[in-house]
Amino acid sequence: MKAYRIHAPHTITLDEMDAIPVGDNCVKLKNLMCGISNTDVSVFKGKLPAQYPIIPVRQCVGFVSEVGANVSGLSRGNRVVTYPQASCHSCSACKDGKFYYCEKAMGFGKTENGFMSDFSVVSANDVYAIPERLKDEDAIFTEHTAAAINVMNKLDIDKGDQIIIVGATVVGIILAQVAIYYQAVPIVVDMREDLLDAAFRAGVYYTINSVKDDVGKKITSITGGHMADACAYLLSSAMPLQNVFDYTCRRGKIALVGHSYDNEIKCNLASLVEKNLELISINECGKNYPSAINMLANHTVSVDMLYDKIVSFADVPQVMEELSSEDGFAAKVLVKM
């Protein structure tokens, strides 16, 4: 088996490894496509604690090449997308069959070997079958779409509600599209015009450049002075959190979405308390993978504008080095295995 492994910060090599046997309740995947995420770049840069050496990448599409004992619902030749975490199979959630709520989940590419290899062996509970019409490059965004659905559900967004999305990240732009599907009104705020343009191409009508525009004034105009019913703050956006409290109406809800590995989040909570705002943290997909797959397969969510390029397996070391030199990359890079 050939696999890229990160041995130390800025050190990645293509290693020849022994084939992994397919145990009970597991499947062997021939990996077809992977997506490089901010997490992978942070592990490569040494900004995120990881168990070196580690095979990076948690977002993968592959087909089942071998099925272990006691596996039902999957067979050889099925195309699947991976869940971002490996379930432990021993906690109360796993014993109840809710592997997506595993209490001891291990992150692929971080504390558990990921998928930047030609083959992988993974629990059958941590993969989801995808339909033939769903392209590999679209299926890579299942995790992002599932997370966006989770945000909408946790914020309890109703038809006609306005939601501020601070950060035109991959998840932010997908969240805006999911909000439109829910018949809500997304308002995307970011510092970069190219990312706001991507949001506009995804169908988002209201976009605000926080460098060029008076964000509060624009939101006041769009909402008729009411301000937004809810706000989703993408931690990877590196934008000031403090202003979010001003963008949200009294008794509104604010979701802190995702992870922040390189940026310290600072704010004064006084206005949060004064306005009776509800603060929610969301960094998981929940049980939304099947819904996300359906949205992507039916083109409810479009992702064409969200990946910068598709590179070959041989290009991985060069691409990782290039991404590590950027000040927080935005568009995803896909790797055709």
Side-chain angles (χ1 to χ4, degrees), residues 130-284:
I130 58 177
E132 185 177 343
R133 69 176 182 272
L134 180 56
K135 297 185 298 183
D136 293 346
E137 53 265 44
D138 291 351
I140 285 292
F141 293 88
T142 302
E143 177 191 346
H144 311 81
T145 307
I149 295 170
N150 203 27
V151 172
M152 294 296 292
N153 292 338
K154 292 288 182 67
L155 287 177
D156 195 25
I157 300 294
D158 291 327
K159 177 181 177 180
D161 283 353
Q162 290 145 334
I163 174 173
I164 302 292
I165 301 170
V166 178
T169 63
V170 170
V171 174
I173 293 175
I174 289 177
L175 173 58
Q177 295 181 70
V178 175
I180 292 170
Y181 176 76
Y182 278 58
Q183 299 184 54
V185 181
I187 304 168
V188 176
V189 182
D190 202 282
M191 299 179 288
R192 288 175 51 175
E193 196 62 40
D194 58 333
L195 301 185
L196 292 173
D197 179 64
F200 183 79
R201 286 186 281 120
V204 180
Y205 182 74
Y206 295 114
T207 61
I208 303 175
N209 188 316
S210 62
V211 176
K212 298 178 180 179
D213 303 319
D214 183 328
V215 179
K217 187 175 181 179
K218 277 217 164 188
I219 292 174
T220 299
S221 175
I222 294 168
T223 63
H226 171 70
M227 307 312 283
D229 303 283
C231 182
Y233 175 82
L234 282 298
L235 272 70
S236 60
S237 70
M239 295 182 65
L241 173 61
Q242 190 67 49
N243 295 340
V244 171
F245 303 151
D246 297 328
Y247 305 157
T248 312
C249 68
R250 291 186 65 83
R251 297 182 178 82
K253 294 182 179 180
I254 298 172
L256 305 182
V257 183
H259 303 270
S260 177
Y261 304 124
D262 297 336
N263 303 298
E264 191 176 54
I265 307 300
K266 295 180 179 180
C267 67
N268 185 332
L269 297 177
S271 54
L272 180 81
V273 176
E274 182 182 336
K275 294 178 68 175
N276 286 310
L277 299 174
E278 183 178 346
L279 195 62
I280 305 166
S281 61
I282 303 172
N283 65 358
E284 61 184 16

Side-chain angles (χ1 to χ4, degrees), residues 38 41 45 192 195 236 262 323-331:
N38 279 301
V41 176
K45 291 164 65 176
R192 288 175 51 175
L195 301 185
S236 60
D262 297 336
L323 291 175
S324 70
S325 66
E326 295 182 14
D327 187 16
F329 79 101

